[in-house]
Amino acid sequence: RKIENVKILVSLRLDLYQLTLEKTRSSGFQEDKLLSLIWDLSWTEKDLKEIVDKRITFLYKHKYTNRDIVFEDLFPVDNNVRNRDSWQYLITRTFWRPRDILQFVNYCLSQSAEKSLIEWSAIYKAEKEYSKDRLKSLHEEWCDIYPSLKYTIYILSNAKEIVSIDDFKAVLSEDKILQLYELFNTHKINDQISEVINNYIIGNGYQENIVYEVLSCFYRTGLIGTSDSLPDSFEWSFRHSSSKSEFECSHAKHLKIHKMFHQALHIEQ
């Protein structure tokens, strides 16, 4: 039966949408024809702050006070000291999504369960747990598209926050490529990265093909941002273009590891 004045809306995570297209793509399919039907949902800093304030108000109102309690009532605020803005500290460690900032706030609250205010020490302790959890979630979110991510992500362990492409190429050495090749065979990993590594091993590819494919994966998943010029302006998949091809990644001069993963990967700042 035809129902008038009804519009069906489907909310889908970006990685699931991209996976659907990759698994169902047929000959002659043109993705651009879907663009007029899609609305990209994004969140501003104001949106995220309002969500956090509402969550804190809900948790504290009627339990401790009748007035609205917001972020600034609990978290340290020192505008006179550089890098001591707790809101900015939290928000720069997210993908600008409600679930990220809410999870970080929840960890901070858990670390301060016996206190009326949240101290910086509690934020730092919470960040360690939050960072580990987000790294685990990154594996889970992208495992269908990039099952190799579980192993390649640790290439960045103990790295500096900003890495030149030359330094990244040095890390992804021939020995490291052979290690990944063996891991992928052992665990039966099959994706774009394992494919370029297999091609390299049999002599049908170059080391740079692997480097740029890994960079493309890291950028797409949000693990890194890339810069084509000086290391002070980076593009991120959750703020700019959602993906970059191997060719686009070949123009990158620097990469920056997202602060969300610094604790989990022991990144030098």
Side-chain angles (χ1 to χ4, degrees):
R1 188 179 62 175
K2 184 177 181 181
I3 302 176
E4 297 182 356
N5 301 321
V6 172
K7 179 180 290 187
I8 298 175
L9 301 178
V10 178
S11 177
L12 197 61
R13 225 170 53 205
L14 178 61
D15 57 303
L16 296 178
Y17 167 71
Q18 293 174 339
L19 178 63
T20 301
L21 294 184
E22 291 179 11
K23 296 295 185 181
T24 61
R25 190 182 300 272
S26 59
S27 177
F29 171 76
Q30 293 177 289
E31 185 178 346
D32 60 324
K33 290 185 177 180
L34 298 177
L35 296 180
S36 62
L37 304 174
I38 296 173
W39 181 55
D40 288 328
L41 180 61
S42 59
W43 303 88
T44 66
E45 184 173 350
K46 181 181 177 183
D47 293 332
L48 296 172
K49 181 62 167 53
E50 288 178 354
I51 291 171
V52 168
D53 284 343
K54 288 179 179 179
R55 172 63 64 87
I56 292 175
T57 295
F58 176 79
L59 292 174
Y60 281 80
K61 198 170 185 180
H62 303 306
K63 185 175 182 181
Y64 301 106
T65 179
N66 288 324
R67 74 178 184 88
D68 289 350
I69 302 295
V70 295
F71 183 88
E72 289 78 10
D73 293 319
L74 300 177
F75 285 77
V77 178
D78 192 344
N79 296 324
N80 296 321
V81 181
R82 187 181 179 186
N83 297 327
R84 295 289 282 182
D85 182 331
S86 55
W87 171 255
Q88 287 302 316
Y89 190 89
L90 267 65
I91 197 68
T92 55
R93 285 156 176 77
T94 73
F95 286 161
W96 289 63
R97 303 180 301 192
R99 58 176 156 152
D100 297 337
I101 189 65
L102 288 174
Q103 186 179 39
F104 201 169
V105 167
N106 286 338
Y107 274 121
C108 292
L109 294 174
S110 296
Q111 288 292 335
S112 306
E114 303 300 323
K115 298 181 179 180
S116 58
L117 297 176
I118 295 169
E119 300 174 351
W120 276 104
S121 59
I123 294 176
Y124 296 145
K125 288 179 182 177
E127 184 184 358
K128 292 181 181 180
E129 296 302 316
Y130 167 76
S131 184
K132 291 178 184 178
D133 189 77
R134 292 320 306 160
L135 187 66
K136 180 173 180 271
S137 294
L138 193 75
H139 296 159
E140 294 170 349
E141 288 175 16
W142 290 94
C143 65
D144 288 327
I145 298 177
Y146 291 118
S148 63
L149 184 63
K150 181 177 180 180
Y151 306 98
T152 57
I153 200 170
Y154 294 103
I155 294 170
L156 299 173
S157 293
N158 301 302
K160 294 181 179 179
E161 180 180 20
I162 297 177
V163 181
S164 71
I165 294 303
D166 288 339
D167 287 344
F168 184 74
K169 288 178 180 178
V171 172
L172 199 53
S173 62
E174 186 167 336
D175 287 343
K176 178 61 70 175
I177 291 172
L178 288 172
Q179 287 178 12
L180 291 172
Y181 174 75
E182 292 173 359
L183 278 172
F184 294 166
N185 280 338
T186 299
H187 297 283
K188 295 181 172 54
I189 301 298
N190 183 25
D191 61 12
Q192 292 167 293
I193 293 176
S194 67
E195 184 178 340
V196 294
I197 287 180
N198 287 338
N199 288 338
Y200 174 75
I201 294 297
I202 64 176
N204 290 337
Y206 300 94
Q207 184 178 1
E208 287 195 341
N209 297 134
I210 300 171
V211 169
Y212 298 136
E213 192 63 56
V214 171
L215 283 179
S216 178
C217 165
F218 285 180
Y219 174 85
R220 184 178 177 184
T221 58
L223 181 63
I224 65 167
T226 61
S227 173
D228 295 350
S229 54
L230 297 175
D232 57 1
S233 178
F234 289 85
E235 293 186 350
W236 301 90
S237 59
F238 57 92
R239 300 295 300 277
H240 304 97
S241 173
S242 62
S243 63
K244 286 191 175 185
S245 65
E246 184 181 326
F247 173 75
E248 290 173 305
C249 287
S250 70
H251 289 83
K253 298 294 187 296
H254 299 86
L255 62 92
K256 185 175 185 178
I257 303 169
H258 197 287
K259 291 181 182 297
M260 179 188 286
F261 308 107
H262 281 198
Q263 289 293 325
L265 294 174
H266 306 286
I267 302 303
E268 298 180 26
Q269 299 189 50

